[in-house]
Amino acid sequence: MSGNIELLNTTLAAAKAADRAALVAYLPAGFPTVDGGIEAVKAVVAGGADVVEVGLPHSDPVLDGPVIQTADDIALRGGVRIADVMRTVREAYKATGVPILVMTYWNPIDRYGVERFTAELAEAGGAGCILPDLPVQESALWREHADKHGLATVFVVAPSSQDARLATITAAGSGFVYAASLMGVTGTRASVGAQAQDLVGRTRATTDLPVCVGLGVSNAAQAAEVAGFADGVIVGSAFVKAMLDAPDEAAGLAAVRSLAGELAEGVRKR
């Protein structure tokens, strides 16, 4: 069975044709529970998310700040496994029909087996993977199997990336490019900063792939700002924080749906 890279491509193209940025929501699998995580994905899509990244919880998430680390810890203590991540993708895709990617560090895939992981992700209806710590020069095996199974390979670029390095990274990627707005870890911030706009411009000079910006966006005003220069706005910590701060799961689901609605309005006001 082939994965859903084409669905991802057409979804991002449709947002561009509508003269707006796409809203990309991140939520960890298994948080607050596996079932609760699936419901959270449904909630953000109901609120207006175009694409969803499902995080594979990791004990040492080097790109993630304290909010997502807390959620990952809850998921891991709850016993989440890769099978639960695949179930989250499968049920979320079946329920929503939007592109679902997995964001994961490389070690779990390496231990699980690249062929097994890509085959199962494609069978679940996944659209691809975001791989923040996989060096491009060591990615040939992954890309071979991802291509075979119709999955996007999304690499992360940073403000520190030199132009030649950007060209190497974007030439190897597919689906979209994840542009980290600043040097640091995920989390909500008062300002996204001018570094992100510069990075998007330099990245676009090397590729026709959509460029989506993440790290720091937490409200509609910031989403509108980033949507003014990026093809997609990625929001994670703000959704996770809304779930963590809620008194119960039902309130958490209502909160993330409401936040998705506000952010969806923001990306349309670019």
Side-chain angles (χ1 to χ4, degrees), residues 30 59 63 139 151 247:
S59 57
L63 186 69
S139 68
L151 299 169

Side-chain angles (χ1 to χ4, degrees), residues 127-196:
C129 258
I130 300 160
L131 301 159
D133 67 341
L134 177 63
V136 171
Q137 62 270 28
E138 297 176 19
S139 68
L141 178 65
W142 164 266
R143 287 186 285 125
E144 174 191 342
H145 288 288
D147 290 347
K148 181 171 76 171
H149 290 291
L151 299 169
T153 298
V154 178
F155 289 113
V156 178
V157 297
S160 61
S161 302
Q162 299 297 312
D163 291 350
R165 179 67 177 165
L166 288 175
T168 299
I169 292 170
T170 59
S174 56
F176 64 90
V177 182
Y178 187 126
S181 66
L182 40 76
M183 301 302 292
V185 297
T186 58
T188 60
R189 289 176 173 82
S191 173
V192 178
Q195 281 186 316

Side-chain angles (χ1 to χ4, degrees), residues 113-137:
V114 176
E115 168 60 21
R116 181 184 177 194
F117 190 95
T118 52
E120 289 184 7
L121 182 56
E123 187 276 330
C129 258
I130 300 160
L131 301 159
D133 67 341
L134 177 63
V136 171
Q137 62 270 28

Side-chain angles (χ1 to χ4, degrees), residues 9-145:
N9 293 340
T10 57
T11 298
L12 294 173
K16 183 176 183 180
D19 193 31
R20 68 174 179 86
L23 175 60
V24 183
Y26 167 93
L27 290 162
F31 169 74
T33 62
V34 176
D35 289 341
I38 294 167
E39 292 304 314
V41 174
K42 295 178 186 177
V44 295
V45 173
D50 300 290
V51 179
V52 176
E53 303 173 9
V54 171
L56 194 160
H58 195 276
S59 57
D60 185 26
V62 293
L63 186 69
D64 296 307
V67 171
I68 291 176
Q69 286 184 24
T70 298
D72 277 5
D73 186 58
I74 290 168
L76 291 168
R77 288 174 183 273
V80 72
R81 295 289 183 266
I82 288 179
D84 299 309
V85 178
M86 298 298 179
R87 180 186 154 213
T88 300
V89 172
R90 180 181 298 104
E91 295 193 16
Y93 170 64
K94 185 177 180 181
T96 66
V98 305
I100 311 285
L101 299 103
V102 170
M103 185 164 185
T104 178
Y105 298 97
W106 179 245
N107 181 259
I109 295 178
D110 190 39
R111 290 179 63 88
Y112 198 72
V114 176
E115 168 60 21
R116 181 184 177 194
F117 190 95
T118 52
E120 289 184 7
L121 182 56
E123 187 276 330
C129 258
I130 300 160
L131 301 159
D133 67 341
L134 177 63
V136 171
Q137 62 270 28
E138 297 176 19
S139 68
L141 178 65
W142 164 266
R143 287 186 285 125
E144 174 191 342
H145 288 288

